Amino acid sequence: MGTSIATTPSSRAFISDNMAGASPQIAQAVADAAAGQVLPYGNDPFTDSARRRLSGIFEREVDVFPVSTGSAANGLSLAALTPPWGSVLSHPDSHINHDECGAPEFFTNGAKLVGVPGPHSKIDPEALRAAVRRRAGDVHSVQPSAVSISQATESGSVYTLEEIRRLSAIAKDAGLRVHMDGARFANALDHLCATPAEMTWKPASTSCPSAPPRTAR
């Protein structure tokens, strides 16, 4: 039995973006794009346009793989980064651990989510430093393979650019890959006054000197 949520015309529910229908402009754009014929499997002009626009936004060449939901995006991304005998290190309160049921394990064909603690729903660097080495090389244990951070987190806190770089350095020094769950990517960008490039790969050059201080919950 489904669960219904009562809303009024002036109210909005923020449980999930999957709750809302498409705006008329989006629905019309989809209808327009569905007309005629184009090459399949990412060779169409719409995917190419998205690839070029996102490459501009991230200030480097990127590839784009459109999927239907964020859970699918996370599961497929982690599957590309983690072998079935591997583990994904994330905070116990992370989005992939807290809100996506068994999807990450399903898509990775059995890789295990391993919790790494820290205050404010953020991974503690020293705890990660220990976790990336824990039981490495032990054939009886899943092998640390990737680190996933939720940006912003389920509790509303945000990793600073320095925190992201520190965690990424620890992961990469141990040979692990880094995954950023961008469930609230735009909110984190606004909070940090950063660009998408700065929050993922590029040294930061901006700041928010006039912004009021914000305390993580």
Side-chain angles (χ1 to χ4, degrees):
M1 178 182 241
T3 301
S4 61
I5 298 177
T7 60
T8 65
S10 61
S11 68
R12 294 290 184 271
F14 293 99
I15 292 176
S16 172
D17 54 3
N18 296 326
M19 292 179 60
S23 68
Q25 295 91 335
I26 291 177
Q28 185 60 53
V30 171
D32 293 342
Q37 294 184 331
V38 295
L39 291 173
Y41 310 121
N43 295 310
D44 59 280
F46 308 107
T47 303
D48 182 61
S49 175
R51 187 182 297 114
R52 286 186 284 104
R53 293 185 68 177
L54 285 170
S55 293
I57 290 171
F58 281 90
E59 302 176 43
R60 65 182 302 167
E61 185 176 351
V62 302
D63 213 339
V64 180
F65 302 92
V67 294
S68 57
T69 69
S71 294
N74 282 334
L76 292 169
S77 296
L78 292 171
L81 301 177
T82 315
W85 60 87
S87 64
V88 179
L89 308 180
S90 65
H91 196 278
D93 293 334
S94 65
H95 189 78
I96 59 173
N97 193 53
H98 193 273
D99 284 318
E100 293 188 328
C101 197
E105 291 93 338
F106 172 80
F107 281 106
T108 57
N109 200 29
K112 189 174 183 178
L113 299 185
V114 174
V116 182
H120 309 304
S121 299
K122 297 194 291 185
I123 294 173
D124 175 74
E126 293 310 310
L128 180 63
R129 198 181 302 278
V132 298
R133 302 294 184 186
R134 188 172 295 122
R135 305 196 72 171
D138 185 346
V139 297
H140 299 286
S141 177
V142 290
Q143 295 300 292
S145 302
V147 174
S148 177
I149 63 174
S150 299
Q151 182 73 327
T153 72
E154 303 303 278
S155 63
S157 57
V158 177
Y159 287 92
T160 66
L161 301 183
E162 178 55 35
E163 287 172 332
I164 293 171
R165 291 188 179 87
R166 186 177 180 189
L167 294 175
S168 297
I170 293 171
K172 292 177 180 179
D173 285 346
L176 277 64
R177 293 168 171 175
V178 180
H179 166 259
M180 180 181 289
D181 183 341
R184 306 167 194 88
F185 191 87
N187 303 75
L189 289 177
D190 179 71
H191 178 90
L192 297 172
C193 291
T195 67
E198 290 167 343
M199 202 168 74
T200 53
W201 69 273
K202 184 179 180 182
S205 59
T206 60
S207 61
C208 276
S210 61
R214 304 179 186 181
T215 303
R217 291 183 289 166

